[in-house]
Amino acid sequence: FMDDHKQLILDMHQAQMDQGGKVKGGFTVDLSGAVVEVLWQPWESCVAYALAQAIRMCAVLMGLTESGLPDPEWIYWWARYLAGATDRDMGSYPYLAMEAIARYGYPWQGQSPPPPDAYTAPPLSDARAAITQAAKVERHPIFSASEMRSALAARQPCVMGITIDQAFVDWADALADGTAWELSGPAKGRHMVCVVGYDRFGAIIVNSWGKGRHAGGFLRVSWQTVTDATDRYAITAVPRLPEIQR
């Protein structure tokens, strides 16, 4: 970003936070104003996109937008490299995506990722030289819905893995009062999402299927869904001087 563009982004999202975020309603905690954009994931890359969304939110909430917002595709492919697989249609485990972030960092938003075949080996030195981090990204396990509420209240975006059905895919009345999605039909597979807030009816998530799904990309899931979820983490970013991952 140019400096004036960075400040415009920061001011815009601070105003959204002051007004209660992007989603409308009397939510107990609402961090949706820190969502720079609703992402759209290609392939089976929900883990990388949910984590990238959470890290982007940390950057906005902590005023670290000058450090750059992570490109989900880099995180996805290097997680695939760590898993020993390069197939576009394979997902990745959260711990591998976090290891990829810790080991290789992430590029600033707007940098073009290398071709997919570059991810069959560790990043080359010239690629690493383009990667800096102004924050150490950490994940903190969440063992209950109560702990997730506490993390969100502390302005920590969260991620979690859920089992979804066709109703989730089609869920349109996403934020109506008292309406919360909960698994009720045959499972279609696993999905990773970013949690941005909550109210008494459930947790508010931002999905990675673009703004055309749900309510502009947001929906509420039940507290039972949070309880049944796996890979629940609060994501934090600890500021530090930029350094090159070697």
Side-chain angles (χ1 to χ4, degrees):
F1 293 121
M2 299 293 289
D3 288 341
D4 55 348
H5 189 192
K6 289 187 297 185
Q7 190 58 50
L8 177 62
I9 290 285
L10 192 57
D11 291 346
M12 178 181 68
H13 290 290
Q14 184 58 55
Q16 289 172 338
M17 292 295 294
D18 293 342
Q19 295 169 8
K22 290 184 177 180
V23 296
K24 302 301 181 183
F27 300 110
T28 306
V29 173
D30 179 7
L31 304 181
S32 65
V35 175
V36 176
E37 62 178 322
V38 176
L39 301 175
W40 183 86
Q41 67 172 81
W43 322 307
E44 298 295 327
S45 52
C46 58
V47 168
Y49 275 70
L51 281 169
Q53 185 67 270
I55 299 167
R56 287 172 176 224
M57 292 178 66
C58 287
V60 172
L61 290 167
M62 299 178 66
L64 294 176
T65 51
E66 69 277 5
S67 69
L69 303 176
D71 187 317
E73 190 170 340
W74 290 66
I75 298 172
Y76 171 70
W77 278 107
W78 280 335
R80 297 309 312 139
Y81 161 71
L82 292 175
T86 57
D87 188 331
R88 287 173 181 258
D89 294 326
M90 295 183 66
S92 57
Y93 293 105
Y95 79 92
L96 288 176
M98 289 298 297
E99 183 178 343
I101 293 168
R103 188 178 295 190
Y104 306 128
Y106 50 78
W108 294 1
Q109 186 180 30
Q111 292 180 346
S112 298
D117 57 8
Y119 296 95
T120 60
L124 300 176
S125 58
D126 58 343
R128 295 188 193 188
I131 300 169
T132 60
Q133 290 178 291
K136 178 182 179 183
V137 177
E138 297 179 334
R139 60 176 177 149
H140 307 275
I142 291 176
F143 299 103
S144 67
S146 177
E147 288 188 7
M148 181 170 287
R149 287 191 288 268
S150 295
L152 292 166
R155 294 165 65 88
Q156 297 174 1
C158 299
V159 296
M160 64 180 180
I162 60 176
T163 300
I164 63 173
D165 57 11
Q166 188 60 44
F168 180 91
V169 176
D170 299 334
W171 203 259
D173 193 18
L175 293 172
D177 288 343
T179 303
W181 173 83
E182 186 172 303
L183 181 68
S184 59
K188 291 184 67 67
R190 298 285 295 166
H191 189 49
M192 197 81 172
V193 296
C194 179
V195 187
V196 302
Y198 71 88
D199 62 11
R200 64 191 180 95
F201 300 111
I204 310 304
I205 68 171
V206 57
N207 204 359
S208 53
W209 294 347
K211 296 179 66 174
R213 293 280 185 181
H214 318 308
F218 296 86
L219 73 156
R220 182 193 289 107
V221 300
S222 70
W223 285 118
Q224 186 61 50
T225 299
V226 175
T227 298
D228 294 340
T230 59
D231 298 306
R232 294 172 299 200
Y233 299 104
I235 305 299
T236 60
V238 181
R240 66 184 181 189
L241 290 176
E243 64 182 55
I244 297 174
Q245 298 296 304
R246 300 186 184 278

